[in-house]
Amino acid sequence: MYLNKAMDIQFEDLRLKSKENSFVAYTYETERFPFYLHYHPEYELLYIEKGNGQRVIGDLFTPFSDGELALLAPNIPHTWSGYEVASKATVIQFSE
């Protein structure tokens, strides 16, 4: 499956999260990961502690599940869209 050019891809300005640090680290917990297709100029290291669904990286849609670890390059559109299960991820975003 490929991205439809009509899909809205949001720019995420991570400078708003951390004005003084070279990286941002946080735990994200939710009822399920929402579909939020976005990109940013920072690298992102993501560990899915709990959750499953479909991930989008660039123009590829593939399944994800508990225990996934991913390192994303800058400016790549991405999202993890979960099924109806409690989800938890650790996210570290950092610049070059």
Side-chain angles (χ1 to χ4, degrees):
M1 187 181 303
Y2 293 94
L3 289 178
N4 179 330
K5 290 187 186 227
M7 287 185 174
D8 195 17
I9 303 172
Q10 300 293 315
F11 173 74
E12 184 176 36
D13 190 347
L14 299 180
R15 293 175 300 167
L16 300 174
K17 291 183 181 177
S18 177
K19 294 181 181 180
E20 298 178 10
N21 298 318
S22 61
F23 71 94
V24 175
Y26 58 93
T27 299
Y28 179 65
E29 293 185 72
T30 183
E31 290 182 22
R32 70 174 184 83
F33 295 124
F35 187 89
Y36 171 58
L37 189 59
H38 66 283
Y39 69 99
H40 41 76
E42 294 78 15
Y43 289 89
E44 181 168 301
L45 182 62
L46 175 76
Y47 173 65
I48 304 293
E49 184 175 325
K50 183 178 179 185
N52 57 52
Q54 291 288 313
R55 78 169 95 69
V56 178
I57 301 174
D59 64 353
L60 299 175
F61 287 63
T62 54
F64 75 88
S65 60
D66 298 352
E68 177 171 307
L69 180 66
L71 176 62
L72 301 172
N75 297 312
I76 303 293
H78 60 280
T79 190
W80 271 250
S81 181
Y83 301 133
E84 300 291 331
V85 296
S87 303
K88 182 177 180 180
T90 299
V91 181
I92 302 172
Q93 297 163 320
F94 56 95
S95 60
E96 284 186 26

Coordinates of all heavy atoms in Angstrom, one line a residue:
M1 N 0.8 -1.2 0.0 CA 0.0 0.0 0.0 C 0.9 1.2 0.0 O 1.9 1.2 0.6 CB -0.9 0.0 1.2 CG -1.9 1.1 1.2 SD -3.0 1.1 2.7 CE -3.6 -0.5 2.7
Y2 N 0.5 2.3 -0.7 CA 1.3 3.5 -0.8 C 0.5 4.7 -0.4 O -0.7 4.7 -0.4 CB 1.8 3.7 -2.2 CG 2.8 2.6 -2.6 CD1 2.3 1.5 -3.3 CD2 4.1 2.7 -2.3 CE1 3.2 0.5 -3.6 CE2 5.0 1.7 -2.6 CZ 4.6 0.6 -3.3 OH 5.5 -0.4 -3.6
L3 N 1.2 5.7 0.0 CA 0.5 7.0 0.5 C -0.2 7.6 -0.7 O 0.3 7.7 -1.8 CB 1.6 7.9 1.0 CG 2.2 7.6 2.4 CD1 3.2 8.7 2.7 CD2 1.1 7.5 3.4
N4 N -1.3 8.1 -0.4 CA -2.1 8.9 -1.4 C -1.6 10.3 -1.3 O -1.4 10.9 -0.2 CB -3.5 8.8 -1.0 CG -4.4 9.6 -1.9 OD1 -4.0 10.6 -2.5 ND2 -5.6 9.2 -2.1
K5 N -1.3 11.0 -2.4 CA -0.7 12.3 -2.3 C -1.7 13.3 -1.6 O -1.3 14.4 -1.2 CB -0.4 12.8 -3.7 CG 0.8 12.1 -4.3 CD 1.2 12.7 -5.6 CE 2.3 11.8 -6.2 NZ 3.5 12.6 -6.6
A6 N -2.9 12.9 -1.6 CA -3.9 13.8 -0.9 C -3.8 13.7 0.6 O -4.4 14.6 1.3 CB -5.3 13.4 -1.4
M7 N -3.1 12.7 1.2 CA -3.0 12.6 2.6 C -2.2 13.8 3.2 O -1.2 14.2 2.6 CB -2.2 11.3 3.0 CG -3.0 10.1 2.8 SD -2.1 8.7 3.5 CE -3.3 7.4 3.3
D8 N -2.6 14.3 4.3 CA -2.0 15.5 4.8 C -0.9 15.1 5.7 O -1.1 14.3 6.7 CB -3.1 16.3 5.6 CG -2.7 17.7 6.0 OD1 -1.7 18.2 5.4 OD2 -3.3 18.3 6.9
I9 N 0.3 15.5 5.4 CA 1.5 15.2 6.2 C 1.9 16.5 7.0 O 2.1 17.5 6.4 CB 2.7 14.8 5.3 CG1 2.3 13.6 4.5 CG2 3.9 14.5 6.1 CD1 3.3 13.2 3.4
Q10 N 1.9 16.4 8.3 CA 2.2 17.5 9.2 C 3.7 17.7 9.5 O 4.4 16.7 9.7 CB 1.4 17.3 10.5 CG -0.1 17.2 10.3 CD -0.7 18.5 9.8 OE1 -0.4 19.6 10.3 NE2 -1.6 18.4 8.9
F11 N 4.1 18.9 9.5 CA 5.5 19.2 10.0 C 5.4 19.3 11.5 O 4.5 20.0 12.0 CB 6.0 20.5 9.4 CG 7.3 20.9 10.0 CD1 8.5 20.3 9.7 CD2 7.4 22.0 10.9 CE1 9.7 20.6 10.3 CE2 8.6 22.3 11.5 CZ 9.8 21.6 11.2
E12 N 6.2 18.6 12.2 CA 6.3 18.6 13.7 C 7.5 19.4 14.1 O 8.6 19.0 13.8 CB 6.3 17.2 14.3 CG 6.2 17.2 15.7 CD 6.1 15.8 16.3 OE1 6.8 14.9 15.8 OE2 5.4 15.6 17.3
D13 N 7.3 20.6 14.7 CA 8.4 21.4 15.1 C 8.8 21.0 16.5 O 8.2 21.4 17.5 CB 8.0 22.9 15.1 CG 9.2 23.8 15.3 OD1 10.2 23.4 15.7 OD2 9.0 25.0 15.1
L14 N 9.9 20.2 16.6 CA 10.3 19.7 17.9 C 11.0 20.7 18.8 O 11.2 20.6 20.0 CB 11.3 18.5 17.7 CG 10.6 17.3 17.0 CD1 11.6 16.2 16.8 CD2 9.4 16.8 17.7
R15 N 11.4 21.8 18.2 CA 12.0 22.9 19.0 C 11.1 23.4 20.0 O 11.5 24.0 21.0 CB 12.5 24.1 18.0 CG 13.6 23.7 17.1 CD 13.9 24.8 16.1 NE 12.7 25.1 15.4 CZ 12.5 26.1 14.6 NH1 13.4 27.0 14.5 NH2 11.4 26.3 13.9
L16 N 9.8 23.3 19.8 CA 8.8 23.7 20.8 C 8.8 22.8 22.0 O 8.4 23.3 23.1 CB 7.4 23.7 20.2 CG 7.2 24.6 18.9 CD1 5.8 24.4 18.3 CD2 7.4 26.1 19.3
K17 N 9.2 21.6 21.9 CA 9.3 20.7 23.0 C 10.5 20.9 23.9 O 10.5 20.7 25.1 CB 9.3 19.2 22.5 CG 8.0 18.8 21.9 CD 8.1 17.3 21.5 CE 6.8 16.8 20.8 NZ 6.9 15.5 20.4
S18 N 11.6 21.3 23.3 CA 12.8 21.4 24.0 C 13.7 22.5 23.4 O 14.4 22.3 22.4 CB 13.6 20.1 24.0 OG 14.8 20.3 24.7
K19 N 13.7 23.7 24.0 CA 14.4 24.8 23.4 C 15.9 24.8 23.8 O 16.7 25.4 23.2 CB 13.7 26.1 23.9 CG 12.3 26.3 23.3 CD 11.7 27.6 23.8 CE 10.3 27.7 23.2 NZ 9.6 28.8 23.6
E20 N 16.2 24.1 24.9 CA 17.6 24.2 25.4 C 18.4 22.9 25.3 O 19.6 22.9 25.5 CB 17.6 24.6 26.9 CG 17.0 26.0 27.1 CD 16.9 26.4 28.5 OE1 17.5 25.7 29.4 OE2 16.3 27.4 28.8
N21 N 17.7 21.8 24.9 CA 18.4 20.5 24.8 C 18.6 20.1 23.4 O 17.9 20.5 22.5 CB 17.6 19.4 25.6 CG 17.4 19.8 27.1 OD1 18.4 20.2 27.7 ND2 16.2 19.6 27.6
S22 N 19.6 19.2 23.2 CA 19.8 18.7 21.9 C 19.0 17.4 21.6 O 19.0 16.9 20.4 CB 21.3 18.3 21.7 OG 21.7 17.3 22.7
F23 N 18.2 17.0 22.5 CA 17.3 15.8 22.3 C 16.1 15.9 23.2 O 16.1 16.7 24.2 CB 18.0 14.5 22.6 CG 18.3 14.2 24.0 CD1 17.5 13.5 24.8 CD2 19.5 14.7 24.6 CE1 17.7 13.2 26.1 CE2 19.8 14.5 25.9 CZ 18.9 13.7 26.7
V24 N 15.1 15.2 22.9 CA 13.9 15.1 23.6 C 13.6 13.6 23.9 O 13.7 12.8 22.9 CB 12.7 15.7 22.9 CG1 11.4 15.5 23.6 CG2 12.9 17.2 22.6
A25 N 13.3 13.2 25.1 CA 13.0 11.8 25.4 C 11.7 11.8 26.3 O 11.6 12.6 27.2 CB 14.1 11.2 26.2
Y26 N 10.8 10.9 25.9 CA 9.5 10.8 26.7 C 8.9 9.5 26.5 O 9.2 8.8 25.5 CB 8.6 12.0 26.3 CG 8.2 12.0 24.8 CD1 7.0 11.4 24.4 CD2 9.0 12.7 23.9 CE1 6.7 11.4 23.0 CE2 8.6 12.8 22.6 CZ 7.5 12.1 22.1 OH 7.1 12.2 20.8
T27 N 8.0 9.1 27.4 CA 7.1 7.9 27.2 C 5.8 8.4 26.8 O 5.2 9.4 27.3 CB 7.1 7.2 28.6 OG1 8.4 6.8 29.0 CG2 6.2 6.0 28.5
Y28 N 5.2 7.7 25.8 CA 3.9 8.1 25.3 C 3.0 6.9 25.5 O 3.2 5.8 25.1 CB 4.0 8.3 23.8 CG 2.8 8.7 23.1 CD1 2.1 9.9 23.4 CD2 2.2 7.9 22.1 CE1 0.9 10.2 22.8 CE2 1.0 8.2 21.5 CZ 0.4 9.4 21.8 OH -0.8 9.7 21.2
E29 N 1.9 7.1 26.3 CA 0.9 6.1 26.6 C -0.5 6.6 26.1 O -0.8 7.8 26.3 CB 0.8 5.8 28.1 CG 2.1 5.2 28.6 CD 2.0 4.8 30.1 OE1 1.3 3.8 30.3 OE2 2.6 5.4 30.9
T30 N -1.2 5.7 25.5 CA -2.5 6.1 25.0 C -3.4 4.9 24.8 O -2.9 3.7 24.9 CB -2.3 6.8 23.6 OG1 -3.6 7.2 23.1 CG2 -1.7 5.9 22.6
E31 N -4.7 5.1 24.6 CA -5.6 3.9 24.4 C -5.3 3.2 23.1 O -5.4 2.0 23.0 CB -7.1 4.4 24.4 CG -7.6 4.9 25.7 CD -9.0 5.4 25.6 OE1 -9.7 4.9 24.7 OE2 -9.4 6.1 26.5
R32 N -4.8 3.9 22.1 CA -4.3 3.4 20.9 C -3.5 4.5 20.2 O -3.8 5.6 20.3 CB -5.4 2.8 20.0 CG -6.3 3.8 19.4 CD -7.2 3.2 18.4 NE -8.0 4.2 17.7 CZ -7.6 4.9 16.6 NH1 -6.4 4.7 16.1 NH2 -8.4 5.8 16.1
F33 N -2.5 4.1 19.4 CA -1.7 5.1 18.7 C -2.6 5.7 17.6 O -3.2 5.0 16.8 CB -0.5 4.5 18.1 CG 0.5 4.0 19.1 CD1 1.0 2.7 19.0 CD2 1.1 4.9 20.0 CE1 1.9 2.3 19.9 CE2 2.0 4.4 20.9 CZ 2.4 3.1 20.9
P34 N -2.8 7.0 17.5 CA -3.6 7.6 16.5 C -2.9 7.7 15.2 O -1.6 7.7 15.2 CB -3.9 9.0 17.1 CG -2.7 9.3 17.9 CD -2.3 8.0 18.5
F35 N -3.6 7.9 14.1 CA -2.9 8.1 12.8 C -2.5 9.6 12.8 O -3.4 10.5 12.7 CB -3.9 7.8 11.6 CG -3.1 7.8 10.3 CD1 -2.5 6.7 9.8 CD2 -3.1 9.0 9.6 CE1 -1.8 6.8 8.6 CE2 -2.4 9.1 8.4 CZ -1.8 8.0 7.9
Y36 N -1.2 9.9 12.8 CA -0.7 11.2 12.8 C 0.5 11.2 11.9 O 1.6 11.0 12.4 CB -0.4 11.7 14.2 CG 0.3 13.1 14.2 CD1 -0.2 14.2 13.6 CD2 1.5 13.2 14.9 CE1 0.4 15.4 13.6 CE2 2.2 14.4 14.9 CZ 1.6 15.5 14.3 OH 2.3 16.7 14.3
L37 N 0.3 11.4 10.6 CA 1.4 11.3 9.7 C 2.2 12.6 9.7 O 1.6 13.7 9.5 CB 0.9 11.1 8.3 CG 1.9 10.8 7.2 CD1 2.7 9.5 7.5 CD2 1.2 10.6 5.8
H38 N 3.4 12.6 10.1 CA 4.2 13.8 10.3 C 5.7 13.5 9.9 O 6.1 12.4 9.7 CB 4.1 14.2 11.7 CG 4.7 13.3 12.7 ND1 4.1 12.1 13.1 CD2 5.9 13.3 13.3 CE1 4.9 11.5 13.9 NE2 6.0 12.2 14.1
Y39 N 6.5 14.6 9.9 CA 7.9 14.5 9.7 C 8.6 15.6 10.5 O 7.9 16.6 10.9 CB 8.2 14.6 8.2 CG 8.0 16.0 7.6 CD1 9.0 16.9 7.4 CD2 6.7 16.4 7.2 CE1 8.8 18.2 6.9 CE2 6.4 17.7 6.7 CZ 7.5 18.5 6.6 OH 7.3 19.8 6.1
H40 N 9.9 15.5 10.7 CA 10.7 16.5 11.4 C 12.1 16.3 11.0 O 12.5 15.3 10.5 CB 10.5 16.4 12.9 CG 10.4 15.1 13.4 ND1 11.5 14.3 13.6 CD2 9.4 14.3 13.8 CE1 11.2 13.1 14.1 NE2 9.9 13.1 14.2
P41 N 12.9 17.4 11.1 CA 14.3 17.3 10.7 C 15.2 16.5 11.7 O 16.4 16.3 11.4 CB 14.8 18.7 10.6 CG 13.9 19.5 11.5 CD 12.6 18.7 11.5
E42 N 14.7 16.0 12.8 CA 15.4 15.3 13.8 C 15.4 13.8 13.5 O 14.4 13.3 12.9 CB 14.9 15.5 15.2 CG 15.1 17.0 15.7 CD 14.1 17.9 15.1 OE1 13.1 17.5 14.5 OE2 14.4 19.2 15.2
Y43 N 16.3 13.0 14.0 CA 16.3 11.6 14.0 C 15.3 11.2 15.1 O 15.0 11.9 16.0 CB 17.6 11.0 14.4 CG 18.7 11.1 13.3 CD1 19.5 12.2 13.2 CD2 18.8 10.1 12.4 CE1 20.5 12.3 12.3 CE2 19.8 10.2 11.4 CZ 20.6 11.3 11.3 OH 21.6 11.4 10.4
E44 N 14.7 10.0 15.0 CA 13.8 9.5 16.0 C 14.1 8.0 16.3 O 14.2 7.2 15.4 CB 12.4 9.6 15.6 CG 11.4 9.2 16.6 CD 9.9 9.6 16.3 OE1 9.7 10.8 16.2 OE2 9.1 8.7 16.2
L45 N 14.3 7.7 17.6 CA 14.5 6.3 18.0 C 13.2 6.0 18.8 O 12.8 6.7 19.7 CB 15.7 6.2 18.9 CG 16.0 4.8 19.4 CD1 16.3 3.8 18.3 CD2 17.2 4.8 20.4
L46 N 12.5 5.0 18.4 CA 11.2 4.6 18.9 C 11.2 3.2 19.4 O 11.5 2.3 18.6 CB 10.1 4.9 17.9 CG 8.7 4.5 18.2 CD1 8.1 5.5 19.2 CD2 7.8 4.4 17.0
Y47 N 10.8 2.9 20.6 CA 10.6 1.6 21.1 C 9.1 1.4 21.5 O 8.6 2.1 22.3 CB 11.5 1.3 22.4 CG 11.2 0.0 23.0 CD1 11.5 -1.2 22.3 CD2 10.7 -0.1 24.3 CE1 11.2 -2.4 22.9 CE2 10.4 -1.3 24.9 CZ 10.7 -2.4 24.2 OH 10.4 -3.6 24.8
I48 N 8.5 0.4 20.8 CA 7.1 0.1 21.1 C 7.1 -1.0 22.2 O 7.4 -2.1 22.0 CB 6.4 -0.5 19.9 CG1 6.4 0.5 18.7 CG2 4.9 -0.8 20.3 CD1 5.7 1.8 18.9
E49 N 6.8 -0.5 23.5 CA 6.7 -1.5 24.6 C 5.5 -2.3 24.5 O 5.5 -3.5 24.7 CB 6.8 -0.7 25.9 CG 6.8 -1.6 27.1 CD 6.9 -0.9 28.4 OE1 7.6 0.2 28.4 OE2 6.3 -1.3 29.4
K50 N 4.3 -1.6 24.1 CA 3.1 -2.3 24.0 C 2.2 -1.6 23.0 O 2.1 -0.4 22.9 CB 2.3 -2.2 25.4 CG 1.0 -3.0 25.4 CD 0.4 -2.9 26.8 CE -0.9 -3.7 26.8 NZ -1.6 -3.5 28.0
G51 N 1.6 -2.5 22.1 CA 0.8 -1.9 21.0 C 0.9 -2.7 19.8 O 1.9 -3.4 19.6
N52 N 0.0 -2.6 18.9 CA 0.1 -3.2 17.6 C -0.8 -2.5 16.6 O -1.7 -1.7 17.0 CB -0.3 -4.7 17.6 CG -1.6 -5.0 18.2 OD1 -2.6 -4.4 17.7 ND2 -1.7 -5.8 19.2
G53 N -0.5 -2.6 15.3 CA -1.3 -1.9 14.3 C -0.5 -1.8 13.0 O 0.3 -2.7 12.7
Q54 N -0.6 -0.7 12.3 CA 0.1 -0.5 11.1 C 1.0 0.7 11.2 O 0.6 1.7 11.8 CB -0.9 -0.2 9.9 CG -1.7 -1.3 9.5 CD -0.9 -2.4 8.8 OE1 -0.2 -2.0 7.9 NE2 -1.0 -3.6 9.2
R55 N 2.3 0.6 10.8 CA 3.2 1.7 10.7 C 3.3 2.2 9.3 O 3.2 1.4 8.4 CB 4.5 1.3 11.3 CG 5.4 0.5 10.4 CD 6.8 0.4 11.0 NE 7.1 -0.8 11.7 CZ 7.2 -2.0 11.2 NH1 7.0 -2.2 10.0 NH2 7.5 -3.0 12.0
V56 N 3.5 3.5 9.2 CA 3.8 4.1 7.9 C 5.2 4.8 8.0 O 5.4 5.6 8.9 CB 2.8 5.2 7.5 CG1 3.1 5.8 6.2 CG2 1.4 4.6 7.5
I57 N 6.1 4.4 7.1 CA 7.4 5.0 7.0 C 7.6 5.3 5.6 O 7.7 4.4 4.8 CB 8.5 4.2 7.6 CG1 8.3 3.8 9.1 CG2 9.9 4.9 7.5 CD1 9.2 2.9 9.7
G58 N 7.7 6.6 5.2 CA 7.8 6.9 3.8 C 6.5 6.5 3.1 O 5.4 7.0 3.5
D59 N 6.6 5.7 2.1 CA 5.4 5.3 1.4 C 5.0 3.8 1.6 O 4.2 3.2 0.9 CB 5.5 5.5 -0.1 CG 6.6 4.8 -0.8 OD1 7.3 4.1 -0.1 OD2 6.6 4.8 -2.0
L60 N 5.6 3.2 2.7 CA 5.4 1.8 3.0 C 4.5 1.7 4.2 O 4.7 2.3 5.2 CB 6.7 1.1 3.3 CG 7.6 1.0 2.1 CD1 8.9 0.4 2.5 CD2 7.0 0.3 0.9
F61 N 3.5 0.8 4.1 CA 2.6 0.4 5.3 C 2.9 -1.0 5.7 O 2.8 -1.9 4.8 CB 1.1 0.5 4.8 CG 0.6 1.8 4.6 CD1 1.1 2.7 3.6 CD2 -0.5 2.3 5.4 CE1 0.5 3.9 3.4 CE2 -1.1 3.5 5.2 CZ -0.5 4.4 4.2
T62 N 3.3 -1.2 6.9 CA 3.7 -2.6 7.4 C 3.2 -2.7 8.8 O 3.0 -1.7 9.5 CB 5.2 -2.8 7.3 OG1 5.9 -1.8 8.0 CG2 5.7 -2.9 5.9
P63 N 2.9 -3.9 9.3 CA 2.4 -4.1 10.6 C 3.5 -3.9 11.7 O 4.7 -4.0 11.4 CB 2.0 -5.6 10.7 CG 2.7 -6.2 9.5 CD 3.0 -5.2 8.5
F64 N 3.1 -3.5 12.9 CA 4.0 -3.5 14.0 C 3.4 -4.2 15.2 O 2.2 -4.4 15.3 CB 4.4 -2.0 14.4 CG 3.4 -1.3 15.1 CD1 3.2 -1.3 16.4 CD2 2.5 -0.5 14.3 CE1 2.3 -0.5 17.1 CE2 1.5 0.3 15.0 CZ 1.4 0.2 16.4
S65 N 4.2 -4.5 16.2 CA 3.7 -5.2 17.4 C 4.7 -4.9 18.6 O 5.7 -4.3 18.4 CB 3.5 -6.7 17.2 OG 4.7 -7.3 16.9
D66 N 4.3 -5.4 19.8 CA 5.1 -5.2 21.0 C 6.6 -5.5 20.7 O 7.0 -6.5 20.0 CB 4.7 -6.2 22.0 CG 3.3 -6.0 22.5 OD1 2.6 -5.0 22.1 OD2 2.8 -6.8 23.3
G67 N 7.5 -4.7 21.3 CA 8.9 -5.0 21.2 C 9.6 -4.4 20.0 O 10.8 -4.6 19.8
E68 N 8.9 -3.7 19.2 CA 9.6 -3.1 18.0 C 10.5 -1.9 18.4 O 10.2 -1.1 19.2 CB 8.5 -2.6 17.0 CG 9.1 -2.0 15.8 CD 8.1 -1.6 14.7 OE1 7.4 -2.6 14.3 OE2 8.1 -0.5 14.3
L69 N 11.6 -1.9 17.7 CA 12.6 -0.8 17.9 C 12.9 -0.2 16.5 O 13.2 -1.0 15.6 CB 13.9 -1.3 18.5 CG 15.0 -0.2 18.8 CD1 14.5 0.8 19.8 CD2 16.2 -0.9 19.2
A70 N 12.7 1.1 16.3 CA 13.0 1.7 15.0 C 13.8 2.9 15.1 O 13.6 3.7 16.1 CB 11.6 2.0 14.3
L71 N 14.7 3.1 14.2 CA 15.5 4.4 14.1 C 15.1 5.0 12.8 O 15.2 4.4 11.7 CB 17.0 4.1 14.1 CG 17.8 5.3 13.9 CD1 17.6 6.4 15.0 CD2 19.3 4.9 13.9
L72 N 14.5 6.2 12.8 CA 14.1 6.9 11.6 C 15.0 8.1 11.3 O 15.5 8.8 12.2 CB 12.7 7.5 11.9 CG 11.6 6.5 12.2 CD1 10.3 7.2 12.7 CD2 11.4 5.6 11.1
A73 N 15.3 8.2 10.0 CA 16.1 9.3 9.5 C 15.3 10.6 9.5 O 14.1 10.6 9.5 CB 16.6 9.0 8.1
P74 N 16.0 11.7 9.4 CA 15.3 13.0 9.4 C 14.4 13.1 8.1 O 14.7 12.6 7.1 CB 16.4 14.0 9.3 CG 17.6 13.3 9.9 CD 17.4 11.9 9.5
N75 N 13.3 13.9 8.3 CA 12.4 14.3 7.2 C 11.7 13.2 6.5 O 11.2 13.4 5.4 CB 13.2 15.2 6.2 CG 13.6 16.5 6.9 OD1 12.9 17.1 7.6 ND2 14.9 16.8 6.7
I76 N 11.6 12.0 7.1 CA 10.8 10.9 6.6 C 9.4 10.9 7.2 O 9.2 10.9 8.4 CB 11.5 9.5 6.9 CG1 12.9 9.5 6.4 CG2 10.6 8.4 6.4 CD1 13.1 9.5 4.9
P77 N 8.4 11.0 6.3 CA 7.0 11.0 6.9 C 6.8 9.6 7.6 O 7.2 8.6 7.1 CB 6.1 11.1 5.6 CG 7.0 11.7 4.6 CD 8.4 11.2 4.9
H78 N 6.2 9.7 8.8 CA 5.9 8.4 9.5 C 4.8 8.6 10.5 O 4.4 9.7 10.9 CB 7.2 8.0 10.3 CG 7.7 9.1 11.3 ND1 8.4 10.2 10.9 CD2 7.6 9.1 12.6 CE1 8.7 10.9 12.0 NE2 8.2 10.3 13.0
T79 N 4.2 7.4 10.9 CA 3.3 7.3 12.0 C 3.1 5.8 12.4 O 3.5 5.0 11.6 CB 1.9 7.9 11.6 OG1 1.1 8.0 12.8 CG2 1.2 7.1 10.5
W80 N 2.7 5.6 13.6 CA 2.3 4.3 14.0 C 0.9 4.4 14.4 O 0.5 5.2 15.3 CB 3.1 3.9 15.3 CG 4.4 3.2 15.0 CD1 4.7 1.9 15.2 CD2 5.6 3.8 14.4 NE1 6.0 1.6 14.8 CE2 6.6 2.7 14.3 CE3 6.0 5.0 13.9 CZ2 7.8 2.9 13.8 CZ3 7.2 5.2 13.4 CH2 8.1 4.2 13.3
S81 N 0.0 3.7 13.7 CA -1.4 3.8 13.9 C -1.9 2.5 14.5 O -1.8 1.4 13.9 CB -2.1 4.0 12.5 OG -3.5 4.1 12.7
G82 N -2.4 2.5 15.7 CA -2.7 1.3 16.5 C -4.1 0.8 16.4 O -5.0 1.6 16.0
Y83 N -4.3 -0.4 16.7 CA -5.6 -1.0 16.8 C -6.1 -0.6 18.2 O -5.4 0.0 19.0 CB -5.5 -2.5 16.6 CG -5.0 -3.0 15.3 CD1 -4.0 -3.9 15.2 CD2 -5.4 -2.4 14.1 CE1 -3.5 -4.3 13.9 CE2 -4.9 -2.7 12.9 CZ -4.0 -3.7 12.8 OH -3.5 -4.1 11.6
E84 N -7.3 -1.1 18.5 CA -7.9 -0.7 19.8 C -7.3 -1.4 21.0 O -8.0 -2.2 21.6 CB -9.4 -0.9 19.7 CG -10.1 -0.2 18.6 CD -10.1 1.3 18.8 OE1 -10.2 1.8 20.0 OE2 -10.1 2.1 17.9
V85 N -6.1 -1.1 21.3 CA -5.4 -1.7 22.5 C -4.6 -0.6 23.2 O -4.1 0.3 22.5 CB -4.5 -2.9 22.1 CG1 -5.3 -4.1 21.5 CG2 -3.4 -2.5 21.2
A86 N -4.5 -0.8 24.5 CA -3.6 0.2 25.2 C -2.2 0.1 24.7 O -1.7 -1.0 24.4 CB -3.6 -0.2 26.7
S87 N -1.6 1.3 24.5 CA -0.3 1.3 23.8 C 0.7 2.2 24.6 O 0.3 3.1 25.3 CB -0.5 1.9 22.4 OG -1.4 1.1 21.7
K88 N 2.0 1.8 24.5 CA 3.0 2.5 25.2 C 4.3 2.5 24.4 O 4.7 1.4 23.9 CB 3.3 1.9 26.6 CG 4.3 2.6 27.4 CD 4.4 2.0 28.8 CE 5.5 2.7 29.6 NZ 5.6 2.1 30.9
A89 N 4.9 3.7 24.2 CA 6.2 3.8 23.5 C 7.1 4.7 24.2 O 6.7 5.6 24.9 CB 5.9 4.3 22.1
T90 N 8.4 4.5 24.0 CA 9.4 5.4 24.4 C 10.0 6.0 23.2 O 10.3 5.3 22.2 CB 10.5 4.7 25.2 OG1 10.0 4.1 26.4 CG2 11.6 5.6 25.7
V91 N 10.1 7.3 23.2 CA 10.5 8.1 22.0 C 11.7 9.0 22.4 O 11.7 9.7 23.4 CB 9.4 9.0 21.5 CG1 9.8 9.8 20.3 CG2 8.1 8.2 21.2
I92 N 12.8 8.9 21.6 CA 13.9 9.8 21.7 C 14.1 10.5 20.4 O 14.2 9.8 19.3 CB 15.2 9.1 22.1 CG1 15.0 8.3 23.4 CG2 16.4 10.0 22.2 CD1 16.1 7.4 23.8
Q93 N 14.1 11.8 20.4 CA 14.2 12.6 19.1 C 15.5 13.4 19.3 O 15.6 14.1 20.3 CB 13.0 13.4 18.9 CG 11.8 12.5 18.6 CD 10.5 13.3 18.8 OE1 10.3 14.1 19.7 NE2 9.5 12.9 17.9
F94 N 16.4 13.4 18.3 CA 17.6 14.2 18.4 C 18.1 14.7 17.1 O 17.8 14.1 16.1 CB 18.7 13.3 19.1 CG 18.9 12.0 18.4 CD1 20.0 11.9 17.5 CD2 18.1 10.9 18.7 CE1 20.2 10.6 16.9 CE2 18.4 9.7 18.0 CZ 19.4 9.6 17.1
S95 N 18.9 15.8 17.1 CA 19.4 16.3 15.9 C 20.8 15.8 15.7 O 21.4 15.2 16.5 CB 19.4 17.9 16.0 OG 20.2 18.3 17.1
E96 N 21.3 16.1 14.5 CA 22.7 15.7 14.2 C 23.6 16.3 15.1 O 24.6 15.7 15.5 CB 23.1 16.2 12.7 CG 22.4 15.3 11.7 CD 22.9 15.7 10.3 OE1 24.0 16.2 10.2 OE2 22.2 15.5 9.3

